[in-house]
Amino acid sequence: MELWWRAIREAEPGPKWAGLFAELWPAYKAWWLREGEDARPTYLECLRALERHMPEIVPIYEQLCALAGGGDLAARFLSFYRPPPYLSGCSQAIWPGKEPVLVRNYDYDPRAFERIVLHSGWQGRRVMGTSDGLWGLVDGMNDAGLAVSLTFGGRRVVGDGFGVPIILRYVLQTCTTAEEAGQALARIPSHMSYNVTVLDRRRNYLTAFLSPDRPAIMTHAAVATNHQERVEWDAHARMTASVERERFLLQRLTLHVEPEEKFISAFLRPPLYSTAYDRGFGTLYTAVYRPRKGEMELRWPRGRWPLDLNEFHEASHLIMTPDPRAVSEREQ
């Protein structure tokens, strides 16, 4: 596959973001309405939920709604409150060396992925990360030296809450330490089960197991794949090899401290690297976050893209994702 990636910088919501919205809104609108408009909450419900749980970012939300044209449906979508359910794969882990480093694989459907690294300075907080939902993030870092990343939590239940990308945006807009992030994650409702790993510049970290039907569980886990304390959706765990990937990472963490480069390189090979693109769980990228240095790096088997929070440059890259059949042949 050939996938174009873009790095976009805009300090305040403006014409660049409006252009992204115009480009991506037709696909997002179709996804948002796939269960019918009545299945989605009203604008008033969305606004009240944001005001109750994430009031600090309501001004940003209102700016984005205005840039999107002020329409009712777009405003409801941008709240990311009670969105349609969606599944991903993903693996993430904290490197056990001295320097704080968070490494993750994002496994998802390439047809439903923005392929955008967004650098923003909204409300005076610089944030850089992989965009989802036009202002949400699936992983990212802020100028306080806080990095976050998510994986699907491996449970079928869907409930009353927000899509997790907007929760990650909120964390990076308002928090400076892993402790503060944990407090936010514990109180903001998530509409599905997700695992969020947080790492700060002092190497404090946690993994929060979020669920819509039970309180969030805060752990000191350095590894997260696609289940929580135990496997609750056997078919999904088998299909994504969630337990096998978790064991593989735990072994690398507990046997000895590997050099940083060797640890990162393991994410670009099986069992962590997935070629299940036809099932929507192929590895689209590996991200490396070094929050103390303000560095983010995207990696693929045939490419590497370093990005710097303090010296961020807009660019575009054509990434050649390996043909799954070729990968399979090499593994045999």
Side-chain angles (χ1 to χ4, degrees):
M1 293 183 294
E2 296 183 351
L3 300 176
W4 276 103
W5 278 72
R6 290 174 286 175
I8 298 173
R9 179 175 184 171
E10 191 169 48
E12 295 294 335
K16 292 180 183 178
W17 187 91
L20 284 178
F21 178 84
E23 174 189 341
L24 300 177
W25 173 232
Y28 272 124
K29 181 179 179 180
W31 170 72
W32 189 256
L33 294 176
R34 71 182 187 184
E35 298 174 321
E37 185 174 345
D38 291 343
R40 306 276 69 82
T42 66
Y43 167 71
L44 187 57
E45 289 176 310
C46 295
L47 179 60
R48 285 177 174 171
L50 280 171
E51 290 174 337
R52 178 182 178 186
H53 298 288
M54 295 184 278
E56 297 93 335
I57 64 171
V58 169
I60 301 174
Y61 167 72
E62 292 175 337
Q63 284 181 281
L64 297 179
C65 288
L67 286 169
D72 173 77
L73 191 60
R76 291 156 67 187
F77 161 75
L78 288 170
S79 75
F80 246 62
Y81 182 57
R82 290 190 351 225
Y86 48 89
L87 305 180
S88 63
C90 312
S91 308
Q92 58 201 26
I94 305 294
W95 179 58
K98 183 178 180 181
E99 177 69 28
V101 179
L102 171 62
V103 189
R104 69 97 97 257
N105 276 4
Y106 187 65
D107 303 343
Y108 196 53
D109 189 336
R111 298 164 297 181
F113 180 53
E114 293 182 10
R115 303 187 299 279
I116 291 170
V117 178
L118 183 62
H119 185 291
S120 59
W122 303 341
Q123 296 180 322
R125 169 72 72 199
R126 285 179 295 130
V127 173
M128 170 177 69
T130 311
S131 176
D132 188 63
L134 290 162
W135 70 304
L137 300 161
V138 294
D139 50 69
M141 176 174 59
N142 68 17
D143 57 10
L146 184 69
V148 297
S149 178
L150 66 87
T151 73
F152 176 58
R155 303 180 69 234
R156 300 190 200 194
V157 62
V158 179
D160 186 19
F162 293 92
V164 73
I166 198 66
I167 298 176
L168 264 59
R169 165 61 69 176
Y170 175 83
V171 166
L172 291 177
Q173 288 293 143
T174 64
C175 300
T176 61
T177 65
E179 181 181 7
E180 290 178 0
Q183 293 171 355
L185 293 168
R187 65 172 178 79
I188 300 172
S190 173
H191 89 302
M192 293 187 72
S193 295
Y194 281 91
N195 309 325
V196 178
T197 298
V198 181
L199 172 69
D200 67 26
R201 64 185 303 117
R202 295 183 178 180
R203 212 181 176 283
N204 299 312
Y205 66 88
L206 60 85
T207 293
F209 296 151
L210 310 182
S211 298
D213 59 336
R214 62 193 185 197
I217 301 170
M218 298 295 149
T219 78
H220 198 60
V223 170
T225 53
N226 300 128
H227 59 280
Q228 297 188 336
E229 293 182 302
R230 60 184 177 85
V231 171
E232 298 179 62
W233 187 357
D234 290 337
H236 184 272
R238 287 195 302 269
M239 181 173 63
T240 62
S242 182
V243 174
E244 292 81 0
R245 287 182 286 117
E246 180 188 51
R247 288 174 178 168
F248 177 81
L249 282 169
L250 288 173
Q251 287 175 350
R252 304 190 82 88
L253 294 182
T254 56
L255 292 179
H256 59 276
V257 178
E258 292 183 318
E260 180 183 334
E261 183 60 33
K262 185 176 181 181
F263 182 75
I264 296 170
S265 297
F267 282 77
L268 295 167
R269 301 188 301 271
L272 300 182
Y273 191 90
S274 169
T275 58
Y277 300 102
D278 57 338
R279 290 177 286 162
F281 296 107
T283 298
L284 301 183
Y285 65 92
T286 298
V288 182
Y289 284 93
R290 301 180 179 92
R292 186 178 295 164
K293 298 179 179 180
E295 296 176 351
M296 171 187 180
E297 187 179 8
L298 296 177
R299 295 196 184 189
W300 300 269
R302 300 176 186 173
R304 182 182 296 191
W305 189 5
L307 298 126
D308 193 306
L309 183 67
N310 302 307
E311 297 291 337
F312 189 90
H313 300 286
E314 293 189 327
S316 60
H317 284 266
L318 178 62
I319 301 301
M320 306 292 291
T321 301
D323 186 323
R325 292 167 297 181
V327 174
S328 298
E329 289 172 359
R330 289 198 300 271
E331 292 171 4
Q332 291 175 356

